[in-house]
Amino acid sequence: MMTDFQKRIDKAKKLIEKADCVIIGAGAGLSTAAGFEYSGQIFDKYFSDFKEKYGFNDMYSGGFYPFKTQEEKWAYWSRYVYLNRYKNKDNKLYKKLLDFVQSKDYFVITTNVDHQFQLAGFDKNRLFYMQGDYGLFQCSLPCHNKTYDNEKQILNMVEKQKDMKIPASLIPKCPVCGRDMEMNLRSDERFVQDEGWYQHARLYNDFIEKSNDKFRVLIEIGVGYNTPGIIKFPFEQMTFYNEKTYLIRINKEYATCPREIRDKTILFNEDVEMILNNLK
């Protein structure tokens, strides 16, 4: 007897096979499913000294801690960025997702900032990192709308830090005004949307516009309610207003949808890797 899960898988398969194009919307739940943890053993392994001194219990919380000095701040952030951006990790789940869609006309919009889509081999011209990138610095003011690759500086900070501090000479400074640099992550109105950000925003919006009349499948994975206006609500609106647009929503905690689009939505709250394995 066919289970409800199998029925949903078969229905999703048919939609994707029929689709002229696929749009992936990915949130933090995808990286969590791929094993990118911000707390627990990984935090205790790399940040036990910060945990003991400052009392926070996960990397995310530590990112908001008001460190007294830039030397301490960048000792913390360099480890954070190294682990989540530059340290080699097995991102096989992202690669499975690529195998799944690469034969289709696709585009990805994500609130994730860990660069895993591009590291897995997704075409960078089909990606829109809406909220920034761990691999970029910006001026803290900012005095200009430009970002800077930070790999060399981050690795240098990790290598040379001692007693939870980096040498003062390694504190990143803006090359234009001399102020301290910040991570290029959207947390307030100072977030820099540089030329690359606007370029990829245009590519995404053009893809949406050109696909409005096509048979289109939206695959939303791990998107919560922190910033629902970026992916979740727009995907629901596209599904509602476009006759040939369908939504596949994969979310362990929020596998729901508005009743107006229930007949055009397939909901999964199962494990992401299991779902992708069955769809493929």
Side-chain angles (χ1 to χ4, degrees):
M1 184 177 182
M2 184 174 288
T3 65
D4 174 66
F5 175 71
Q6 289 172 318
K7 289 178 181 178
R8 285 179 284 134
I9 286 290
D10 288 346
K11 186 177 179 181
K13 279 183 179 179
K14 290 175 182 177
L15 283 179
I16 295 166
E17 288 170 0
K18 185 179 177 181
D20 297 314
C21 61
V22 173
I23 301 173
I24 296 172
L30 176 58
S31 281
T32 299
F36 291 79
E37 298 287 349
Y38 283 67
S39 59
Q41 290 184 351
I42 190 72
F43 178 77
D44 291 341
K45 179 178 179 180
Y46 289 97
F47 295 95
S48 60
D49 49 355
F50 281 93
K51 178 180 179 179
E52 181 178 352
K53 182 173 181 179
Y54 298 109
F56 50 78
N57 294 298
D58 62 87
M59 287 183 239
Y60 185 77
S61 299
F64 293 95
Y65 192 88
F67 294 104
K68 292 182 179 180
T69 68
Q70 290 290 306
E71 288 88 344
E72 290 174 286
K73 171 185 171 179
W74 285 110
Y76 178 79
W77 269 103
S78 60
R79 287 191 218 173
Y80 188 135
V81 174
Y82 169 70
L83 282 173
N84 295 290
R85 177 68 167 78
Y86 297 120
K87 188 177 186 294
N88 290 329
K89 291 188 177 182
D90 183 4
N91 61 357
K92 64 180 181 180
L93 190 60
Y94 281 85
K95 292 175 182 175
K96 283 186 178 182
L97 188 58
L98 175 60
D99 289 341
F100 181 62
V101 301
Q102 63 184 350
S103 63
K104 292 287 182 180
D105 189 17
Y106 74 86
F107 209 101
V108 176
I109 179 172
T110 182
T111 53
N112 295 344
V113 294
D114 52 19
H115 208 65
Q116 291 305 311
F117 280 103
Q118 197 161 330
L119 291 174
F122 281 79
D123 182 349
K124 67 179 181 180
N125 292 316
R126 294 175 178 267
L127 296 172
F128 181 24
Y129 285 92
M130 181 74 179
Q131 301 290 72
D133 188 331
Y134 284 144
L136 298 175
F137 285 154
Q138 66 166 72
C139 176
S140 59
L141 185 60
C143 69
H144 64 301
N145 290 330
K146 186 177 179 181
T147 59
Y148 300 86
D149 292 337
N150 65 22
E151 181 174 9
K152 184 176 179 180
Q153 291 166 283
I154 289 293
L155 296 182
N156 205 16
M157 291 180 200
V158 170
E159 180 184 354
K160 295 182 179 177
Q161 64 180 256
K162 186 177 180 181
D163 298 327
M164 292 185 286
K165 293 181 180 180
I166 66 166
S169 60
L170 297 184
I171 297 171
K173 299 290 184 179
C174 174
V176 176
C177 71
R179 289 182 175 85
D180 293 330
M181 296 284 257
E182 288 286 351
M183 295 300 303
N184 181 233
L185 304 174
R186 189 186 299 276
S187 59
D188 55 33
E189 70 283 353
R190 294 176 298 168
F191 175 69
V192 167
Q193 297 176 174
D194 64 6
E195 182 180 342
W197 189 98
Y198 284 107
Q199 176 188 354
H200 287 265
R202 288 191 295 270
L203 288 170
Y204 176 67
N205 290 325
D206 288 346
F207 191 92
I208 294 292
E209 186 68 26
K210 291 175 181 177
S211 66
N212 272 332
D213 296 326
K214 296 180 179 180
F215 193 95
R216 183 170 61 184
V217 174
L218 313 177
I219 303 177
E220 180 196 292
I221 309 176
V223 177
Y225 282 94
N226 284 338
T227 52
I230 295 175
I231 297 172
K232 186 175 290 291
F233 293 163
F235 273 28
E236 291 176 351
Q237 291 164 358
M238 282 190 278
T239 305
F240 178 76
Y241 286 109
N242 296 80
E243 183 180 351
K244 294 186 288 184
T245 296
Y246 291 79
L247 173 62
I248 298 172
R249 173 165 284 165
I250 302 171
N251 198 306
K252 282 191 172 183
E253 295 182 29
Y254 305 110
T256 61
C257 69
R259 60 181 176 82
E260 291 85 355
I261 60 170
R262 187 65 186 87
D263 292 340
K264 298 179 70 186
T265 303
I266 304 172
L267 301 171
F268 291 97
N269 62 359
E270 291 84 1
D271 176 74
V272 176
E273 185 170 7
M274 180 179 73
I275 294 166
L276 293 181
N277 286 340
N278 278 273
L279 286 174
K280 188 174 181 182

